């Protein structure tokens, strides 16, 4: 591990932006000042956040403190995952292969499709009944 004790990474997904800090520790995850169990109700979202640590074998050895804003809970979990993966590169550059292979370093480009005129949503058309 490097001499620094704090590692920083920014992650993004849809409209969410996460500012993530990693510290050597016991595996505590704090999101916007709250514990991960309070912040995310679904177990899958908690797993998403911890995936990069699991990929490099650092699960339970690093504490995560992050601030996340924008989007919904799934987008926020994805943004945190992206930020954690970027911070793990600063911990050790040898982590790059495992993180890249798992796809955690790639920013997910999928965004919400814009609404079109004449339609109720991006593709949802109004229903016309037969007369």
């Amino acid at each position: 591990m490097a001499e620094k004790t704090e590692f920083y990474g920014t992650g993004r997904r849809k409209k969410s932006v996460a500012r993530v800090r990693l510290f050597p520790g016991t595996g505590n995850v704090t999101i916007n000042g709250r514990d991960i169990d309070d912040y995310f109700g679904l177990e899958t979202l908690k797993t998403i956040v911890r995936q990069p640590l699991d990929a490099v074998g650092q699960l339970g050895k690093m504490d995560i403190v992050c601030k996340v804003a924008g989007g919904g809970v799934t987008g926020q979990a994805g943004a945190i995952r992206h930020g954690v993966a970027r911070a793990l590169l600063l911990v050790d550059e040898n982590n790059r292969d495992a993180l890249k292979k798992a796809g955690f370093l790639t920013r997910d480009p999928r965004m919400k499709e814009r609404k079109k005129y004449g339609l109720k949503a991006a593709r949802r058309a109004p229903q016309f009944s037969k007369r």
Side-chain angles (χ1 to χ4, degrees):
M1 206 182 282
E3 296 79 38
K4 281 200 308 184
T5 56
E6 181 179 316
F7 305 96
Y8 180 80
T10 305
R12 293 182 184 85
R13 170 86 166 89
K14 290 188 173 181
K15 293 281 183 186
S16 303
V17 180
R19 296 175 297 165
V20 179
R21 292 181 299 155
L22 285 182
F23 306 95
T26 58
N28 296 329
V29 182
T30 310
I31 303 165
N32 292 349
R34 293 162 57 190
D35 189 58
I36 189 168
D37 297 318
D38 296 338
Y39 199 81
F40 290 128
L42 295 173
E43 206 58 45
T44 52
L45 299 177
K46 297 173 196 173
T47 319
I48 286 171
V49 170
R50 293 186 177 111
Q51 277 176 333
L53 291 170
D54 196 26
V56 296
Q58 292 286 328
L59 198 62
K61 298 177 187 169
M62 297 292 247
D63 288 348
I64 302 172
V65 176
C66 68
K67 297 250 193 289
V68 65
V73 286
T74 311
Q76 287 187 351
I80 294 168
R81 177 173 78 175
H82 190 220
V84 169
R86 283 181 161 184
L88 282 169
L89 287 182
L90 301 177
V91 174
D92 188 3
E93 192 59 40
N94 297 329
N95 292 336
R96 181 177 289 277
D97 290 337
L99 293 170
K100 191 136 177 104
K101 192 172 182 182
F104 299 143
L105 295 176
T106 309
R107 197 259 192 233
D108 194 338
R110 295 175 296 170
M111 298 294 276
K112 183 177 164 77
E113 193 174 334
R114 78 169 198 85
K115 185 199 172 296
K116 276 78 169 196
Y117 57 86
L119 301 179
K120 288 182 176 289
R123 299 180 186 192
R124 168 104 167 82
Q127 181 175 344
F128 294 102
S129 60
K130 292 181 231 163
R131 286 186 167 221

